[in-house]
Amino acid sequence: MGKADFLSPKAISNRIKAKGLQKLRWYCQMCQKQCRDENGFKCHCMSESHQRQLLLASENPIKFMDFFSQEFKNDFLELLRRRFGTKRVHNNIVYNEYISNREHIHMNSTQWETLTDFTKWLGKEGYCKVDETPKGWYLQYIDRDPETIRRQEELEKKKKQDMDDEERSAKFIEEQVRRGKGGRDEEAPVYTELKRESEGEKVAFNLNKGASCSAAGPSTTSSTLGPSALQAAPSVKRKESGHTSVSKEKKKKSALEEIMEIEEKKKSERTDYWLQPDIVVKVITKQLGEKYHKKKAVVKSVQDRYTAVIKMIDSGDKLKLDQSHVETVIPALGKKVLLLNGAHRETVAILDSINEKNFSARLILDSGPLRGKTIDEIPYEDFSKLA
């Protein structure tokens, strides 16, 4: 029977059914495929692609379980951090939001059997604060992001520095006041009760004397404090301006030097993973049969740094392979390649020459701030042909 038309009722019904979450028992985690019924799941288990994935998983099943467990843990904690922050929340609420995504990693493919076991594990490993209540288990995310910690330390340091500046200014003012008074302590005022000698006597207040004293007081103090305060202020200002000029001289760098310094710091270390999208690789494993052995493919995407989804150039088939099952491809001279490791990782270059004795090549950088620079003795495994 032919396939239903795009706008036919049957096709519309199929799309509506495929929209939401399906039954977990008809989901294949290895192939990441959701079947609608038992017959579809049975047909999928008998398919060639499913058998290939089982062959790959049988080589190292613990590695695949660790991969799915790591993905589940990372996605769960990312949702908890982004959606709830450091608030205390029930673990079922977080899990229900997590599984609402149709492409989520299912828990039956991880090392944890239940959500309670996973919650206890998060508390044991120090990712969250967990506590059990009559209503269930609650989570509270512990934010250990280095950037967040660094920002908090900078805020505390700035606050402490501001307080130190205020205290220093207050001590400086107190010292100037003490000098202006000549080291004499201020006499405390004496307050007396208002009394009348006779009932007929009128009470009169002489405010001129107090006002003149109060008016004379600040002028005297200001005249006394003036010279010492004015003499000390410029020295403080000169020190601050000198410190600012030194810091500006230290920070003065050209834009090219800053870019080169950032790139060198970012890419100076070699890594044990090298897969990158849009490069051409060659399948070297024999476990998939002669159909794919020594055939070229294009890397479509990279998962978990060590696993790639590739598309065969000849047949168009898509496979998911580990980086140990493929190798780099060396193009003809003058073609573009992508550097996969070392100081110039993720940089496009042109193949200039090949040294067959040392299994290395000479490349000319074709992108970045160092474009046009020639680099020698690049091993074959550190670059590959661009698709």
Side-chain angles (χ1 to χ4, degrees), residues 111-112 119-128 142 144:
Q111 63 186 19
W112 306 286
T119 305
K120 291 178 180 178
W121 183 86
L122 289 177
K124 183 180 179 182
E125 294 296 323
Y127 291 105
C128 301
I142 302 174
R144 289 195 176 92

Side-chain angles (χ1 to χ4, degrees), residues 79-244:
L79 175 65
L80 179 62
R81 181 187 66 82
R82 189 180 66 251
R83 176 70 175 81
F84 301 99
T86 55
K87 295 179 182 178
R88 183 172 173 269
V89 62
H90 201 282
N91 60 351
N92 258 328
I93 296 176
V94 185
Y95 184 71
N96 287 334
E97 286 204 20
Y98 174 73
I99 64 174
S100 62
N101 179 17
R102 197 162 177 265
E103 303 297 331
H104 72 276
I105 302 294
H106 292 263
M107 188 176 283
N108 61 354
S109 62
T110 64
Q111 63 186 19
W112 306 286
E113 295 182 359
T114 61
L115 182 60
T116 302
D117 294 341
F118 178 60
T119 305
K120 291 178 180 178
W121 183 86
L122 289 177
K124 183 180 179 182
E125 294 296 323
Y127 291 105
C128 301
K129 295 179 182 178
V130 298
D131 59 308
E132 187 181 11
T133 64
K135 294 183 179 180
W137 287 87
Y138 281 83
L139 296 166
Q140 186 175 2
Y141 181 70
I142 302 174
D143 194 352
R144 289 195 176 92
D145 185 20
E147 186 66 24
T148 305
I149 296 174
R150 184 185 63 80
R151 198 182 301 115
Q152 290 177 354
E153 289 177 353
E154 286 182 356
L155 289 174
E156 291 177 0
K157 187 176 179 181
K158 185 179 178 183
K159 189 184 293 183
K160 184 179 179 181
Q161 186 177 1
D162 293 341
M163 291 181 65
D164 291 343
D165 292 342
E166 291 177 1
E167 291 176 0
R168 198 179 298 114
S169 301
K171 287 182 180 179
F172 176 74
I173 293 172
E174 289 178 2
E175 181 67 19
Q176 296 300 321
V177 172
R178 189 181 63 79
R179 277 187 200 172
K181 292 180 179 178
R184 291 181 284 103
D185 296 332
E186 186 178 354
E187 296 180 359
V190 179
Y191 300 99
T192 58
E193 186 180 355
L194 182 63
K195 293 182 178 180
R196 288 189 294 183
E197 295 178 358
S198 63
E199 293 295 331
E201 186 181 358
K202 294 182 179 180
V203 178
F205 295 95
N206 190 358
L207 299 178
N208 294 331
K209 183 178 181 182
S212 63
C213 292
S214 62
S219 62
T220 307
T221 308
S222 61
S223 62
T224 310
L225 291 179
S228 58
L230 290 173
Q231 288 172 4
S235 62
V236 177
K237 192 171 183 180
R238 279 197 299 271
K239 288 181 182 179
E240 292 177 355
S241 62
H243 178 69
T244 308

Side-chain angles (χ1 to χ4, degrees), residues 241-337:
S241 62
H243 178 69
T244 308
S245 62
V246 171
S247 62
K248 285 183 179 178
E249 288 177 1
K250 288 182 180 179
K251 293 181 179 178
K252 191 175 182 181
K253 285 184 180 179
S254 65
L256 181 60
E257 289 178 353
E258 291 180 356
I259 293 173
M260 290 174 63
E261 187 178 350
I262 292 171
E263 291 294 328
E264 290 297 328
K265 286 182 180 179
K266 181 181 177 183
K267 301 180 179 179
S268 59
E269 297 182 358
R270 291 182 61 85
T271 59
D272 58 346
Y273 55 89
W274 54 268
L275 289 172
Q276 294 290 342
D278 300 326
I279 62 171
V280 180
V281 294
K282 185 185 291 185
V283 180
I284 58 175
T285 181
K286 296 182 179 179
Q287 297 176 355
L288 300 177
E290 294 297 328
K291 182 179 178 182
Y292 302 110
H293 183 55
K294 293 293 183 180
K295 301 293 183 181
K296 293 181 181 179
V298 179
V299 178
K300 291 297 181 182
S301 62
V302 180
Q303 299 178 1
D304 194 30
R305 296 180 177 178
Y306 301 94
T307 308
V309 177
I310 64 173
K311 183 177 181 181
M312 304 303 298
I313 295 177
D314 295 340
S315 60
D317 295 341
K318 286 188 176 182
L319 305 174
K320 184 191 289 185
L321 298 176
D322 188 78
Q323 70 174 12
S324 59
H325 295 153
V326 295
E327 66 178 4
T328 58
V329 173
I330 302 173
L333 297 179
K335 298 293 184 180
K336 289 188 177 182
V337 297

Side-chain angles (χ1 to χ4, degrees), residues 10-132:
K10 181 67 176 175
I12 295 173
S13 175
N14 289 342
R15 286 199 296 274
I16 292 174
K17 289 177 183 176
K19 255 187 180 181
L21 297 174
Q22 305 291 323
K23 290 189 176 180
L24 182 59
R25 60 181 176 178
W26 294 330
Y27 181 81
C28 177
Q29 183 65 68
M30 281 299 303
C31 304
Q32 298 181 358
K33 181 176 176 60
Q34 176 69 60
C35 300
R36 197 174 301 154
D37 52 21
E38 188 175 356
N39 184 40
F41 186 69
K42 182 180 177 182
C43 293
H44 170 71
C45 291
M46 296 170 62
S47 65
E48 184 182 354
S49 62
H50 180 75
Q51 297 297 327
R52 284 200 303 267
Q53 293 295 336
L54 288 183
L55 284 174
L56 292 174
S58 62
E59 295 178 7
N60 194 352
I62 298 177
K63 177 182 176 182
F64 281 87
M65 180 175 288
D66 291 343
F67 168 73
F68 290 130
S69 301
Q70 185 70 16
E71 287 290 315
F72 180 83
K73 186 258 294 182
N74 291 341
D75 295 343
F76 190 90
L77 289 178
E78 178 64 21
L79 175 65
L80 179 62
R81 181 187 66 82
R82 189 180 66 251
R83 176 70 175 81
F84 301 99
T86 55
K87 295 179 182 178
R88 183 172 173 269
V89 62
H90 201 282
N91 60 351
N92 258 328
I93 296 176
V94 185
Y95 184 71
N96 287 334
E97 286 204 20
Y98 174 73
I99 64 174
S100 62
N101 179 17
R102 197 162 177 265
E103 303 297 331
H104 72 276
I105 302 294
H106 292 263
M107 188 176 283
N108 61 354
S109 62
T110 64
Q111 63 186 19
W112 306 286
E113 295 182 359
T114 61
L115 182 60
T116 302
D117 294 341
F118 178 60
T119 305
K120 291 178 180 178
W121 183 86
L122 289 177
K124 183 180 179 182
E125 294 296 323
Y127 291 105
C128 301
K129 295 179 182 178
V130 298
D131 59 308
E132 187 181 11

